[in-house]
Amino acid sequence: MNLELLKAQAQSCAACRLAEGRTQVVFGEGNPDARLMFVGEGPGEEEDRQGRPFVGKAGQLLDKILEAAGIPRGEVYITNIVKCRPPNNRTPLPDEAKACTGRWLVREIELVSPQVIVPLGAVAAEFFLGEKVPITKARGNWYEWHGIRVFPMFHPAYLLRNPSRAPGSPKHLTWLDIQEVKRVLESLPPKEKRGVRAVNQEPLF
Ligand code: SF4
């Protein structure tokens, strides 16, 4: 099994009601051997249209965050809890998240085998923490999921709604968080080593 085969299998999935309203299944993408995996909530309108994860406004902000931290998007793997767009961008229901993660996300993680997983937002964090924790409390802390380091961060869509860069703002905290992720990745043995960059206190995105 590899990611391409898994993606091909997912295209015809109708295991939950989200199949009814989707244009297409939006599978994860990125480096199949990534050290760092981001897991969002689910596809939005643009993702549903293009069939790729994180290509809308929130995805563009995630690109900027990665670029500011010196993490090439091509080196990471990006996916979602559910692979089909929930109607009107509502939060995926627990049975939808369960159906999708069990079929696809867990197998994506097995195949990519990342060293660090960053859940973006409360829905993704809940899957890895095994309980509902407000993202304001979960972010900025390290957890473990089946031996993999997990570090929840705010969802970029939340940052779009809270654009302040003031100290203590979600954007400012995210800037610190992504640098913490980078610091830990660089402290781990390879898969691959990268150069260390000093931690900046001001957001660059
Ligand atoms: S959301 Fe996931 S489980 Fe539901 S139909 Fe889409 S791919 Fe299948």
Side-chain angles (χ1 to χ4, degrees):
M1 177 57 70
N2 61 40
L3 281 170
E4 283 307 310
L5 272 173
L6 193 66
K7 178 178 179 177
Q9 288 179 1
Q11 299 310 305
S12 55
C13 180
C16 83
R17 68 184 73 74
L18 296 181
E20 295 159 18
R22 74 182 180 219
T23 303
Q24 55 194 318
V25 171
V26 180
F27 203 73
E29 68 173 30
N31 182 346
D33 192 33
R35 303 176 69 206
L36 175 58
M37 177 184 278
F38 290 91
V39 181
E41 183 174 308
E45 186 177 9
E46 193 57 30
E47 288 78 14
D48 177 67
R49 200 176 64 77
Q50 291 193 35
R52 297 181 55 211
F54 280 90
V55 290
K57 285 203 168 80
Q60 288 161 19
L61 179 54
L62 180 61
D63 286 350
K64 282 188 193 170
I65 293 168
L66 291 174
E67 190 183 344
I71 302 172
R73 175 153 171 167
E75 285 186 14
V76 307
Y77 188 89
I78 302 179
T79 190
N80 281 304
I81 291 287
V82 293
K83 312 300 192 217
C84 303
R85 183 191 180 198
N88 302 313
N89 293 338
R90 67 157 166 76
T91 302
L93 300 175
D95 64 324
E96 295 161 353
K98 190 173 174 197
C100 206
T101 52
R103 274 172 183 78
W104 309 116
L105 178 64
V106 169
R107 290 154 83 190
E108 279 180 293
I109 295 170
E110 282 170 1
L111 289 168
V112 176
S113 189
Q115 291 172 303
V116 173
I117 295 175
V118 172
L120 295 168
V123 170
E126 182 181 345
F127 173 74
F128 291 100
L129 272 55
E131 59 178 333
K132 273 189 204 292
V133 179
I135 192 65
T136 46
K137 289 210 164 55
R139 65 136 291 276
N141 296 295
W142 285 100
Y143 302 86
E144 197 177 295
W145 184 84
H146 295 278
I148 304 173
R149 292 165 183 80
V150 170
F151 191 76
M153 288 175 36
F154 289 117
H155 195 288
Y158 181 73
L159 303 180
L160 289 172
R161 297 193 296 273
N162 295 275
S164 167
R165 298 180 183 190
S169 65
K171 246 187 161 177
H172 182 252
L173 296 173
T174 297
W175 176 232
L176 301 181
D177 287 350
I178 194 69
Q179 290 177 93
E180 168 67 3
V181 167
K182 192 175 184 203
R183 183 191 70 75
V184 168
L185 271 177
E186 288 177 340
S187 75
L188 295 173
K191 293 195 171 183
E192 185 186 317
K193 270 266 184 197
R194 299 184 192 86
V196 178
R197 180 170 132 170
V199 170
N200 293 308
Q201 292 301 312
E202 297 302 320
L204 293 184
F205 54 86

